[in-house]
Structure formats: structure tokens, C-alpha cells
Amino acid sequence: IQRNPEPWVPGVAAGPDGRLWHGYGTGLRRYDPHTDRYEAGWRAFAEPGLTERAVRRGESGTDMLTSQTGAKTVICALWPTGPESCWAYWTTGSAYTLTFWEHGAWQRWDVPPPVDLDGRCIPMFADRAGNLWMSAGRHGLHRFREGEFVRYTRSDGLSDDWILCGLEDREGNLWFGTFAGGLNRWQPQPLQTVLTQEGKPLPNTWAVLESQDGAMWIGTDEGLVRKQADSLEQVTTEQGLPGNAVRAL
């Protein structure tokens, strides 16, 4: 693979055409696996609306976008929506911003506090109804639509406020994995918590993926769980898994 032009890539996402979007502190770059090359051109955060920004030379020799207070800009999540469009969720210090890049133009919205991602890359995805869903870290879940943010927390039925992963399945159900409350399913109403046979939530649900047969695969700190209809099957080191902590699928 062609050498990455920057040493740190906090955000990576595959677009619908198979090309990979990479997020950096200075903007977006796209990699084409068919040509094994990064495309020419740079979708820089030149016009997202930052009022305090300065580009300085980092210790590694790469450019980093920083505010005047010295806080580095970091991409938290990416969601490509087409060949020439991509959502980017990023932070500068304690401020969080949602941006949309399309055909060379940026749009920008400030994410309402509180948000605390604890330095993590976070889940973000768009559903078929046109809603964009993103984690607020320890402070619940954001839904963004037509310029407006709506926050959901335990008071709205979530089993835990710390959202670690999420997706929409082929039937339109929304799934959200949490740190301490297991896996939540939204159909879209009401919210339900997926429980084990012992009646407990799945432990630390880090990742969720739907397979071609409609089964949900769930990565937890206690192994890999396969959910098919109402049955749960757990795979751990006893079944040959190298380790029980599954944090990506």
C-alpha cells in the first residue's frame, strides 16, 4: 500500500464506491484500493467555520490544525454518503463539531454539550430515514436531522448513557451498544435491552455487525455473541477465540 501521507489516522471509513476516507487533524483524504494510491487533492478544513484556528508545524513534520489555544483538532468519526460527500465529526479541545463535505463545499454545525468522548473514536451512521446518529460519549446519543440535534439518554429508555457502537439492520431496526448496559434495540420505538439467558445485559458491547443471514454479531469483553431471532450463542476462548475482548468487527 502506498505510504500514508500522515502518521496518525484517527478516523477511517469506507465509502459506497469502495474507496476509503481517512480523517486527519487537517481534513480528509481518500484512498482508492483499485489504483493503490491516495487521490490528488486535499479536502482541508479551510472553510468549516472555525473562528480560532492556526496551522502549525508538528514535531513529526506534519501540519496539524490547532486552535489559538493550542488544542489539536482530531477526527472522531466519518460517514461517507457518496463518491463526493462525507460527514466528519471532530473535536478541538472540549468543543465538538459536525461537518459535511460535498463537491468541494463544507457545512458546519456545533454539537451541543455535554459531550465527552474520552479520546475515543465513536460510532456515527445515517439511517434510511435520513437521521444521522452519533455518540455523545458518556452523555447519551445524538440524532441529527435538518440542522437540529436531539439527545437521548437513560431517561428516554437507553440502558446506559455511554454509547460504544451502532448500526441499522436490513429491517430498519437500530442497534446501539453501550459500555455498561449491553445492547439496545430501537424498532424505532420503544427502546429494548438485549439480555442474556440469565437476564443480564451483555457486558461492554463494543461492536455490532449484521451478517448476510440476518444474525447480529456482537463484540463484548466476555467474548463474541451471535444473536439469531431470540437465541444467543456465545463464543469465547473455550471455543477457540484467541481472546475474550472483542472490540471491532
Side-chain angles (χ1 to χ4, degrees), residues 8-13 21-24 27-29 74-78 121:
W8 186 41
V9 186
V12 178
W21 292 79
H22 296 172
Y24 305 95
L28 302 175
R29 192 180 292 274
V74 176
I75 294 285
C76 304
L78 297 173
C121 293

Side-chain angles (χ1 to χ4, degrees), residues 86-105:
C86 184
W87 290 97
Y89 186 17
W90 51 285
T91 175
T92 303
S94 60
Y96 291 84
T97 304
L98 177 67
T99 55
F100 183 64
W101 184 88
E102 185 174 28
H103 298 292

